[in-house]
Amino acid sequence: MNQPTDNEDILVQNHPIYWFPDGSLILDVEVQRFKVHHTLLSRHSRFFSAVEAKKEGHLEGTTHQKSGALNDENRDGPKHVVLEPKSKIKAADVEALLQHLYHDAPLSKDSPASHVMSVLLVSSPQHLDFPVIHKRALELFEDFFPKNPESFTHNHPLYDALPIATELNLHEVRKAIIYSLVTTTEFDVDDILPTNEVENQAPQSSSELNGSMAESPLTPFPKKIQRLSPADARICMSLMTKVIDHFTPILFTPAATRHMECTDVFARLWMPLVIQPALEDDGVYKPLETLQRIKEIDWAGHGLCTSCVVEKREEWTYEQKTVWDLMDRWLSEAPLQQA
């Protein structure tokens, strides 16, 4: 078999759907070639609107690829833009964007998380710059993640969403993801792969990546360790340590009230109703969930007066919010580089 030379074109395949005979823009991404309507893309994208003003569609970060299948000498023909690998734009993400633009799979609250994340990335100002679409995708993406510490849940994307939240500087989303990683996965610092081993891991197939989005966030962490960077793994470990240091004294100290009778109830029942359940499900590093469970105990039925029940539940709610706010500082203090 003849090996390709540096001067030969990279083999690309026409997309089976987004290759329109009347298309006015040919777009090469990785090994996929799209032929679409430039007027449609330029109407929504600052990136593609700039193609009109550039000779033969040549843009910074792109190349104007010669191809025997294209008549590049005919300037009345389709514009041809090739996105170089350094752009880090994926063909699958461009396909998701085109699905939205051509109304095959428009963005909505019912869109799969993988679809929203693909559109969010490729439409960002750093990539193909579709401002309105990016704003809508961002709204949908942020809605996947809980913002209220009192009703925090973990049924949101984890591993695929974390690098997106990092790249787009979505602090609240990143905080929610890392808290879920710490509290719902079997995380062990000894399982963290050195950076060189992570880089040498065989990449996952597209089917494996797509299938991962359908998995529960509760999938044991070691099965996903290769998809968490060493830096993020160290941040998770740092956060776990901070949470335990902060929450252990609160958890293991029976609550007190202004009434001796109510304080006696806490002293008698704190171990069986609070500490023991927390020990059984690792509640010492799950402060939001553990505090919520404490709030939901029928303390009045165990003898607490109404005023003390109200007062303590307000205190536990305040502590949930305190932990959530403290996480901002703890994450900013987490080590980014390996010592």
Side-chain angles (χ1 to χ4, degrees):
M1 176 182 293
N2 294 330
Q3 296 296 321
T5 66
D6 292 340
N7 294 326
E8 290 180 330
D9 292 338
I10 298 173
L11 294 178
V12 293
Q13 296 180 335
N14 295 345
H15 193 274
I17 298 175
Y18 298 106
W19 180 268
F20 300 105
D22 63 342
S24 54
L25 173 70
I26 292 174
L27 178 65
D28 288 357
V29 190
E30 297 180 313
V31 295
Q32 195 72 71
R33 176 168 288 168
F34 304 88
K35 188 177 183 183
V36 291
H37 302 93
H38 179 248
T39 54
L40 174 63
L41 272 64
S42 63
R43 186 188 313 157
H44 299 280
S45 165
R46 295 190 182 102
F47 179 90
F48 287 108
S49 63
V51 171
E52 192 72 52
K54 298 292 183 178
K55 183 179 180 181
E56 296 183 335
H58 183 83
L59 293 171
E60 183 179 356
T62 69
T63 59
H64 184 77
Q65 178 174 303
K66 295 289 183 180
S67 170
L70 297 172
N71 183 7
D72 285 330
E73 299 303 321
N74 180 7
R75 300 194 180 186
D76 294 330
K79 298 174 178 63
H80 189 187
V81 174
V82 180
L83 299 180
E84 296 177 346
K86 66 182 181 181
S87 72
K88 298 182 180 180
I89 296 175
K90 304 298 182 184
D93 295 341
V94 172
E95 180 179 351
L97 177 66
L98 294 176
Q99 287 174 342
H100 172 75
L101 283 171
Y102 285 96
H103 305 290
D104 294 322
L107 288 171
S108 72
K109 292 182 178 179
D110 297 325
S111 297
S114 56
H115 182 68
V116 173
M117 290 191 290
S118 286
V119 176
L120 177 66
L121 264 183
V122 76
S123 66
S124 68
Q126 301 93 319
H127 290 160
L128 298 183
D129 201 1
F130 285 73
V132 175
I133 295 175
H134 183 69
K135 180 180 179 181
R136 176 57 176 159
L138 180 59
E139 291 171 352
L140 293 172
F141 181 68
E142 291 179 327
D143 284 345
F144 290 142
F145 304 93
K147 303 174 181 63
N148 184 356
E150 295 179 65
S151 55
F152 194 92
T153 58
H154 303 282
N155 56 339
H156 55 77
L158 291 176
Y159 300 91
D160 294 317
L162 184 57
I164 297 175
T166 302
E167 178 178 342
L168 299 181
N169 197 28
L170 304 176
H171 177 74
E172 287 298 307
V173 170
R174 181 173 168 81
K175 181 166 68 169
I177 295 171
I178 292 178
Y179 181 80
S180 285
L181 286 170
V182 168
T183 58
T184 66
T185 59
E186 296 179 11
F187 189 88
D188 188 341
V189 69
D190 294 332
D191 289 331
I192 300 175
L193 296 175
T195 302
N196 62 329
E197 292 186 31
V198 174
E199 293 173 348
N200 292 331
Q201 290 289 313
Q204 291 177 295
S205 68
S206 59
S207 61
E208 289 174 325
L209 286 174
N210 291 335
S212 70
M213 289 306 304
E215 295 175 3
S216 166
L218 303 182
T219 300
F221 190 77
K223 294 183 180 180
K224 297 284 191 177
I225 190 68
Q226 72 276 14
R227 298 185 58 205
L228 192 64
S229 72
D232 285 332
R234 289 189 290 274
I235 289 172
C236 287
M237 288 305 306
S238 174
L239 179 62
M240 179 184 287
T241 300
K242 299 280 189 181
V243 167
I244 291 174
D245 288 346
H246 173 83
F247 190 54
T248 297
I250 297 171
L251 177 62
F252 285 88
T253 303
T257 73
R258 293 171 294 176
H259 304 145
M260 183 60 67
E261 297 84 353
C262 294
T263 298
D264 289 342
V265 171
F266 281 135
R268 176 168 50 87
L269 298 177
W270 199 255
M271 174 59 76
L273 295 185
V274 175
I275 296 178
Q276 192 60 42
L279 293 175
E280 291 172 356
D281 75 345
D282 299 318
V284 69
Y285 59 84
K286 302 175 182 178
L288 303 184
E289 299 88 333
T290 300
L291 286 163
Q292 190 63 29
R293 182 170 58 207
I294 296 172
K295 288 163 56 178
E296 293 171 358
I297 294 173
D298 182 13
W299 291 110
H302 290 291
L304 242 67
C305 71
T306 301
S307 62
C308 285
V309 170
V310 171
E311 178 181 314
K312 300 313 293 184
R313 283 180 177 161
E314 288 176 351
E315 289 182 13
W316 293 322
T317 296
Y318 178 79
E319 182 57 35
Q320 287 175 304
K321 294 177 180 177
T322 297
V323 170
W324 190 246
D325 291 340
L326 281 171
M327 281 180 58
D328 295 330
R329 190 183 78 203
W330 294 337
L331 290 173
S332 69
E333 295 172 349
L336 296 178
Q337 301 296 329
Q338 193 166 13

